Amino acid sequence: MVKTQQYIQVHFFSELALKGGNRQMFLQQARSNLNKAIRDINEGPPIHRSMTTLIPLHDESLWPVLNERLKNVIGVERFERAWTTNPDLDSVKSLISYLVEGSNANSFRISTSRSDKSLPLNSPQINQELGTYVHELTGIGIDLNTPELNIRVRMDRREAVISLEEIRGASGMPVGSSGKVAVMLSGGIDSPVAAFKMMLRGCKIDFIHFHSFPLVEGTSREKAKDIVNLLTQFQLNSRLILVPFAEIQKQLIVTVPPAYRVILYRRLMLRIAEHLAIKEKAGALVTGESLGQVSSQTLENLSTIGQVMKHLPIFRPLIGSDKQAIIREARALGSYEISIIPDQDCCSLFVPKHPRTRSHPREIELIESKLDLNSMITQAIENAETYDSRWPVK
Ligand code: ATP
Ligand code: MG
């Protein structure tokens, strides 16, 4: 009987290895996020190595659910089931023979990495020795380029870890390692993708959604909640702030010429969102805007709209992406199906056929000077509701 213990071996995002003096901070965040994601199902404390972690797996039936959880942990580049044994060649050989027994693969290779340079053989020598051994034992041919079975061996002073399969994770910087940002979440396709991109750069996300209920039905609010629930799988808990915009729109409709409405809506949204973001201690505001996609996203209008920001930077992670690429990302993320559910967007409401594509801040400021912006903003903030989401849902 082979002396072994089964684990899931998790490899953290390789970019974290480049972080120099901050590497430990990033790794600690990654490990802590990983622990939280599997807290209710793990079978003993994970064992942390430098760029990898071993999660004990005694009960095989937990593998599918752990597999699903690990795919959603940002900061995990790949993972696989793995078996450990003593770091000597005889133990490794007997473990491999146990693992490949009955395999119907037609080709294989051995890929060794060796962090303990004092071991008697180097990695190519170990590959050769083990390759010959497995070939003689099973008759399977060696194929270094496209093997059906890639037997990975990691050896250090403490242990040898053998794994056969490899599953891709989400990669990215661990959520929280870059602080918190607030995402302006519409019911559309773009903003959930923008949020996910910021998560992959290590941001914890708060969400802000403006809705025109009861001027229109409440579908957009439900869509926003569904999208937040989906994205919460990657950060375990989220806050969505639902801001009523109907009153503001009613007032603007009577005072603002149609061609300027979208720009005014957006400037008001940003002012309110900046206030809420600061209250939630977010360090930036994020939108799903992409240059030239619609009239409010021309260079002039982005500039006119963005100028109302007083304290926080505004990030537009999709600014250079085309719609087809964004749709592909939304499909992969799973948000696309929610985004395409029909709803009345609060900005498409009462929008003219020919909105201004060019604008100047001064003409907009003149229109705004006739409005009581402060009371509009205060009222919207006072009437905002919060919705908190958690994952896994208990
Ligand atoms: P999306 O697909 O994200 O809705 P879009 O291409 O439809 O984007 P717009 O509707 O002009 O473009 O919105 C641009 C950005 O403004 C959105 O990506 C989002 O960040 C923000 N935004 C628009 N509407 C709302 C809303 N109702 N609540 C919060 N943010 C919004
Ligand atoms: Mg939209």
Side-chain angles (χ1 to χ4, degrees):
M1 188 58 201
V2 188
K3 201 170 142 273
T4 184
Q5 161 71 55
Q6 194 179 166
Y7 293 93
I8 299 171
Q9 180 167 238
V10 172
H11 303 261
F12 292 114
F13 186 42
S14 30
E15 195 177 320
L16 304 187
L18 309 174
K19 295 292 170 205
N22 290 327
R23 179 169 160 178
Q24 279 315 315
M25 186 275 282
F26 284 97
L27 280 171
Q28 259 160 27
Q29 184 77 56
R31 289 171 188 151
S32 152
N33 293 356
L34 174 67
N35 285 348
K36 283 187 194 143
I38 58 169
R39 188 167 37 196
D40 57 326
I41 39 173
N42 67 354
E43 300 183 285
I47 302 164
H48 300 297
R49 301 289 183 236
S50 144
M51 286 293 289
T52 57
T53 284
L54 292 169
I55 300 166
L57 181 67
H58 307 298
D59 177 359
E60 279 268 344
S61 70
L62 288 177
W63 167 235
V65 48
L66 280 164
N67 186 337
E68 282 310 308
R69 295 274 181 94
L70 292 174
K71 277 187 190 155
N72 292 340
V73 180
I74 291 177
V76 169
E77 192 166 275
R78 57 201 162 85
F79 58 95
E80 67 257 325
R81 273 188 297 177
W83 292 260
T84 56
T85 191
N86 299 328
D88 61 78
L89 275 183
D90 285 342
S91 304
V92 171
K93 281 179 186 170
S94 77
L95 176 54
I96 292 180
S97 70
Y98 162 74
L99 293 174
V100 299
E101 195 188 316
S103 163
N104 44 21
N106 290 307
S107 58
F108 80 99
R109 67 165 288 168
I110 308 274
S111 310
T112 303
S113 64
R114 189 191 56 134
S115 56
D116 178 7
K117 304 296 175 204
S118 72
L119 289 167
L121 299 181
N122 63 25
S123 300
Q125 289 167 330
I126 299 173
N127 286 340
Q128 192 149 39
E129 168 106 16
L130 294 176
T132 308
Y133 170 76
V134 173
H135 175 66
E136 282 172 2
L137 182 76
T138 60
I140 307 176
I142 295 175
D143 178 349
L144 296 183
N145 299 319
T146 51
E148 286 182 18
L149 188 64
N150 190 356
I151 303 171
R152 293 182 180 77
V153 179
R154 179 172 67 75
M155 282 173 93
D156 63 26
R157 210 174 298 239
R158 280 172 296 216
E159 70 217 347
V161 185
I162 320 286
S163 55
L164 306 178
E165 64 209 322
E166 188 181 56
I167 296 160
R168 293 196 70 76
S171 291
M173 317 256 281
V175 169
S177 61
S178 301
K180 184 153 90 164
V181 298
V183 170
M184 308 260 305
L185 187 72
S186 68
I189 294 167
D190 304 333
S191 38
V193 175
F196 189 57
K197 277 196 179 298
M198 296 309 291
M199 282 178 161
L200 290 175
R201 294 312 297 165
C203 291
K204 176 84 195 286
I205 311 277
D206 275 339
F207 299 90
I208 302 174
H209 174 68
F210 291 83
H211 64 84
S212 304
F213 184 79
L215 274 186
V216 299
E217 52 192 39
T219 322
S220 83
R221 291 192 303 187
E222 297 313 311
K223 284 173 64 177
K225 287 182 190 173
D226 287 348
I227 286 168
V228 168
N229 290 339
L230 175 84
L231 288 168
T232 301
Q233 293 178 57
F234 301 98
Q235 60 174 15
L236 306 183
N237 57 72
S238 307
R239 168 155 290 183
L240 163 66
I241 303 177
L242 296 154
V243 188
F245 208 58
E247 273 313 312
I248 291 180
Q249 283 179 307
K250 276 199 222 157
Q251 291 178 46
L252 295 189
I253 287 160
V254 288
T255 41
V256 178
Y260 293 98
R261 277 179 199 156
V262 176
I263 296 173
L264 261 97
Y265 291 167
R266 284 295 151 85
R267 282 168 62 102
L268 266 154
M269 277 188 184
L270 278 193
R271 289 184 177 104
I272 296 166
E274 184 179 41
H275 187 101
L276 293 168
I278 290 170
K279 206 162 99 185
E280 296 292 329
K281 301 193 169 49
L285 212 54
V286 177
T287 74
E289 288 158 321
S290 153
L291 187 62
Q293 202 188 76
V294 288
S295 71
S296 58
Q297 296 171 21
T298 61
L299 200 51
E300 283 90 346
N301 285 349
L302 285 174
S303 165
T304 304
I305 293 167
Q307 276 180 24
V308 301
M309 297 290 291
K310 285 214 187 82
H311 306 286
L312 300 182
I314 179 158
F315 294 156
R316 302 178 175 93
L318 304 183
I319 198 71
S321 302
D322 62 78
K323 194 78 190 186
Q324 287 313 314
I326 298 170
I327 288 174
R328 274 197 301 278
E329 291 186 58
R331 281 188 197 276
L333 178 61
S335 58
Y336 183 77
E337 303 305 323
I338 305 170
S339 294
I340 57 170
I341 296 169
D343 73 300
Q344 284 175 301
D345 183 327
C346 72
C347 286
S348 53
L349 199 65
F350 315 114
V351 163
K353 284 207 182 65
H354 302 291
R356 289 291 290 239
T357 52
R358 290 168 167 268
S359 61
H360 197 282
R362 247 169 305 168
E363 53 182 349
I364 305 294
E365 280 160 15
L366 192 68
I367 302 172
E368 284 178 346
S369 68
K370 298 182 182 124
L371 301 166
D372 186 359
L373 293 185
N374 280 341
S375 81
M376 290 181 189
I377 293 169
T378 313
Q379 231 186 7
I381 290 168
E382 273 172 10
N383 293 322
E385 299 163 77
T386 57
Y387 166 79
D388 288 324
S389 175
R390 292 188 78 80
W391 181 268
V393 184
K394 294 261 168 57

